[in-house]
Protein backbone atom coordinates (compact mmCIF):
# COMPACT_ATOMS: atom_id res chain seq x y z
CA UNK A 1 0.00 0.00 0.00
CA UNK A 2 2.85 2.39 0.89
CA UNK A 3 4.55 1.69 -2.45
CA UNK A 4 1.31 2.43 -4.32
CA UNK A 5 0.77 5.70 -2.43
CA UNK A 6 4.35 6.76 -3.17
CA UNK A 7 3.93 6.07 -6.88
CA UNK A 8 0.63 7.97 -6.96
CA UNK A 9 2.30 10.92 -5.22
CA UNK A 10 5.16 10.94 -7.75
CA UNK A 11 2.70 10.86 -10.66
CA UNK A 12 0.65 13.71 -9.16
CA UNK A 13 3.78 15.77 -8.50
CA UNK A 14 5.10 15.34 -12.06
CA UNK A 15 1.66 16.13 -13.47
CA UNK A 16 1.53 19.30 -11.34
CA UNK A 17 4.94 20.38 -12.62
CA UNK A 18 3.75 19.82 -16.18
CA UNK A 19 0.60 21.89 -15.63
CA UNK A 20 2.63 24.67 -13.99
CA UNK A 21 5.05 24.70 -16.93
CA UNK A 22 2.15 25.21 -19.34
CA UNK A 23 0.69 27.91 -17.09
CA UNK A 24 -2.97 26.94 -17.29
CA UNK A 25 -5.18 24.26 -15.82
CA UNK A 26 -7.10 22.42 -18.50
CA UNK A 27 -8.18 18.82 -19.04
CA UNK A 28 -5.68 18.51 -21.90
CA UNK A 29 -2.79 19.74 -19.73
CA UNK A 30 -3.77 17.45 -16.88
CA UNK A 31 -4.10 14.37 -19.13
CA UNK A 32 -0.91 15.10 -21.06
CA UNK A 33 0.89 15.76 -17.77
CA UNK A 34 -0.30 12.41 -16.44
CA UNK A 35 0.82 10.67 -19.64
CA UNK A 36 4.28 12.32 -19.44
CA UNK A 37 4.51 11.40 -15.74
CA UNK A 38 3.74 7.74 -16.49
CA UNK A 39 6.25 7.75 -19.36
CA UNK A 40 8.96 9.22 -17.13
CA UNK A 41 8.38 6.88 -14.20
CA UNK A 42 8.25 3.79 -16.41
CA UNK A 43 11.21 4.61 -18.67
CA UNK A 44 13.42 6.25 -16.01
CA UNK A 45 12.73 4.41 -12.74
CA UNK A 46 14.51 5.66 -9.63
CA UNK A 47 16.34 3.16 -7.44
CA UNK A 48 14.72 2.27 -4.15
CA UNK A 49 16.02 4.37 -1.28
CA UNK A 50 15.98 2.57 2.06
CA UNK A 51 14.01 4.34 4.76
CA UNK A 52 15.45 3.17 8.04
CA UNK A 53 13.99 5.40 10.73
CA UNK A 54 10.75 7.12 11.62
CA UNK A 55 9.68 10.72 11.19
CA UNK A 56 8.98 12.56 14.45
CA UNK A 57 6.75 15.49 13.57
CA UNK A 58 7.54 17.73 16.54
CA UNK A 59 11.28 17.31 15.97
CA UNK A 60 10.76 17.87 12.25
CA UNK A 61 8.94 21.13 13.05
CA UNK A 62 11.89 22.21 15.21
CA UNK A 63 14.25 21.40 12.33
CA UNK A 64 12.17 23.43 9.87
CA UNK A 65 12.01 26.41 12.24
CA UNK A 66 15.76 26.33 12.93
CA UNK A 67 16.64 26.04 9.23
CA UNK A 68 14.28 28.94 8.47
CA UNK A 69 16.05 31.07 11.09
CA UNK A 70 19.44 30.15 9.60
CA UNK A 71 18.26 30.98 6.08
CA UNK A 72 16.96 34.40 7.10
CA UNK A 73 20.02 35.26 9.20
CA UNK A 74 22.53 34.14 6.60
CA UNK A 75 20.65 35.98 3.84
CA UNK A 76 21.00 39.22 5.80
CA UNK A 77 24.67 38.45 6.53
CA UNK A 78 25.40 37.84 2.84
CA UNK A 79 23.54 41.02 1.87
CA UNK A 80 25.58 43.00 4.40
CA UNK A 81 28.84 41.49 3.11
CA UNK A 82 27.86 42.53 -0.41
CA UNK A 83 27.23 46.19 0.40
CA UNK A 84 29.55 46.95 3.32
CA UNK A 85 32.68 48.94 2.69
CA UNK A 86 36.03 47.39 3.43
CA UNK A 87 38.04 44.37 2.38
CA UNK A 88 36.52 41.22 0.97
CA UNK A 89 35.58 38.56 3.53
CA UNK A 90 37.90 35.63 4.17
CA UNK A 91 36.61 32.38 2.66
CA UNK A 92 37.72 28.86 3.50
CA UNK A 93 36.93 25.22 2.98
CA UNK A 94 36.07 23.66 6.33
CA UNK A 95 35.70 19.99 7.17
CA UNK A 96 32.86 18.76 9.36
CA UNK A 97 31.74 15.36 10.56
CA UNK A 98 28.07 14.36 10.32
CA UNK A 99 27.39 11.29 12.45
CA UNK A 100 24.27 10.40 10.50
CA UNK A 101 23.53 6.77 9.70
CA UNK A 102 21.17 7.04 6.74
CA UNK A 103 22.31 8.16 3.30
CA UNK A 104 18.89 9.72 2.77
CA UNK A 105 19.19 11.87 5.90
CA UNK A 106 22.80 12.71 5.03
CA UNK A 107 21.59 13.96 1.63
CA UNK A 108 18.92 16.04 3.36
CA UNK A 109 21.54 17.57 5.66
CA UNK A 110 23.83 18.38 2.75
CA UNK A 111 20.93 20.02 0.90
CA UNK A 112 20.12 22.14 3.94
CA UNK A 113 23.75 23.30 4.06
CA UNK A 114 23.73 24.04 0.33
CA UNK A 115 20.53 26.09 0.65
CA UNK A 116 22.07 28.28 3.34
CA UNK A 117 23.57 31.40 1.74
CA UNK A 118 27.33 31.57 2.16
CA UNK A 119 27.90 27.80 2.31
CA UNK A 120 28.18 25.06 -0.27
CA UNK A 121 29.24 21.46 0.18
CA UNK A 122 32.12 20.67 -2.15
CA UNK A 123 32.74 17.04 -1.27
CA UNK A 124 31.14 14.26 0.75
CA UNK A 125 33.20 11.39 2.15
CA UNK A 126 30.33 8.95 2.46
CA UNK A 127 32.21 6.22 4.31
CA UNK A 128 33.69 8.48 7.01
CA UNK A 129 30.68 10.87 6.98
CA UNK A 130 32.88 13.90 6.41
CA UNK A 131 31.78 16.90 4.42
CA UNK A 132 33.95 19.66 3.01
CA UNK A 133 32.13 22.97 2.92
CA UNK A 134 33.14 26.25 1.30
CA UNK A 135 32.17 28.94 3.80
CA UNK A 136 32.11 32.71 3.25
CA UNK A 137 33.36 35.04 6.00
CA UNK A 138 35.42 32.84 8.30
CA UNK A 139 38.02 35.44 9.18
CA UNK A 140 37.90 34.77 12.91
CA UNK A 141 37.96 31.84 15.27
CA UNK A 142 34.47 32.85 16.41
CA UNK A 143 33.13 32.53 12.83
CA UNK A 144 34.68 29.07 12.45
CA UNK A 145 33.24 28.01 15.81
CA UNK A 146 29.82 29.34 14.73
CA UNK A 147 29.99 27.17 11.60
CA UNK A 148 30.88 24.02 13.57
CA UNK A 149 28.18 24.81 16.13
CA UNK A 150 25.62 25.12 13.32
CA UNK A 151 26.68 21.76 11.87
CA UNK A 152 26.44 20.13 15.32
CA UNK A 153 22.97 21.61 15.82
CA UNK A 154 21.88 20.47 12.36
CA UNK A 155 23.12 16.95 13.06
CA UNK A 156 21.31 16.83 16.41
CA UNK A 157 18.05 18.06 14.84
CA UNK A 158 18.28 15.57 11.96
CA UNK A 159 18.89 12.66 14.33
CA UNK A 160 15.97 13.71 16.55
CA UNK A 161 13.67 14.08 13.55
CA UNK A 162 14.63 10.94 11.61
CA UNK A 163 17.19 8.66 13.30
CA UNK A 164 16.34 8.14 16.94
CA UNK A 165 18.07 5.05 18.29
CA UNK A 166 14.78 3.60 19.56
CA UNK A 167 13.25 3.68 16.06
CA UNK A 168 16.30 2.75 14.01
CA UNK A 169 15.89 -0.31 11.79
CA UNK A 170 18.80 -0.76 9.38
CA UNK A 171 17.75 -1.65 5.86
CA UNK A 172 18.38 -5.19 4.71
CA UNK A 173 21.18 -5.39 2.15
CA UNK A 174 19.70 -7.48 -0.66
CA UNK A 175 22.94 -7.58 -2.66
CA UNK A 176 24.97 -9.46 -0.05
CA UNK A 177 22.18 -11.74 1.16
Amino acid sequence: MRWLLLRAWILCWLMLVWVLLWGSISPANILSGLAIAVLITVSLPLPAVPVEGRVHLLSLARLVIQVTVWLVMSSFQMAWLAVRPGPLPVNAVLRAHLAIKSDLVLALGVNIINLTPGTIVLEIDQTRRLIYVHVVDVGSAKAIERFHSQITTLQRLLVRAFERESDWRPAVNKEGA
Side-chain angles (χ1 to χ4, degrees):
M1 184 65 175
R2 185 176 181 181
W3 179 86
L4 189 60
L5 287 173
L6 180 63
R7 294 295 173 211
W9 167 252
I10 291 170
L11 290 175
C12 289
W13 178 253
L14 289 173
M15 182 186 62
L16 176 66
V17 169
W18 181 261
V19 170
L20 290 174
L21 286 172
W22 279 101
S24 66
I25 298 174
S26 70
N29 281 344
I30 292 171
L31 289 175
S32 61
L34 187 59
I36 295 294
V38 169
L39 180 70
I40 288 172
T41 56
V42 169
S43 62
L44 303 168
L46 292 173
V49 176
V51 177
E52 300 157 319
R54 245 184 67 195
V55 176
H56 296 272
L57 295 179
L58 185 59
S59 296
L60 180 61
R62 287 184 187 132
L63 173 67
V64 169
I65 290 168
Q66 182 62 60
V67 169
T68 303
V69 168
W70 286 336
L71 292 176
V72 170
M73 287 176 46
S74 61
S75 295
F76 281 115
Q77 290 168 347
M78 290 299 105
W80 172 245
L81 288 173
V83 297
R84 75 175 168 91
L88 293 174
V90 176
N91 304 322
V93 175
L94 302 177
R95 180 180 63 198
H97 182 259
L98 286 175
I100 293 174
K101 299 173 191 172
S102 167
D103 288 341
L104 184 62
V105 178
L106 177 64
L108 176 62
V110 166
N111 281 316
I112 289 171
I113 294 167
N114 283 339
L115 283 173
T116 306
T119 61
I120 187 159
V121 176
L122 300 174
E123 185 178 344
I124 304 168
D125 184 342
Q126 193 174 359
T127 56
R128 296 187 300 167
R129 297 300 202 222
L130 292 175
I131 58 172
Y132 296 87
V133 184
H134 180 271
V135 184
V136 175
D137 196 23
V138 289
S140 67
K142 183 179 178 183
I144 294 172
E145 179 58 36
R146 187 172 49 244
F147 166 77
H148 285 292
S149 172
Q150 183 176 343
I151 294 297
T152 302
T153 302
L154 176 62
Q155 173 183 301
R156 181 178 43 80
L157 290 170
L158 286 170
V159 168
R160 282 185 183 169
F162 302 108
E163 292 189 346
R164 291 186 185 176
E165 201 61 45
S166 60
D167 299 326
W168 185 253
R169 304 285 183 268
V172 178
N173 185 2
K174 294 180 181 179
E175 295 170 3

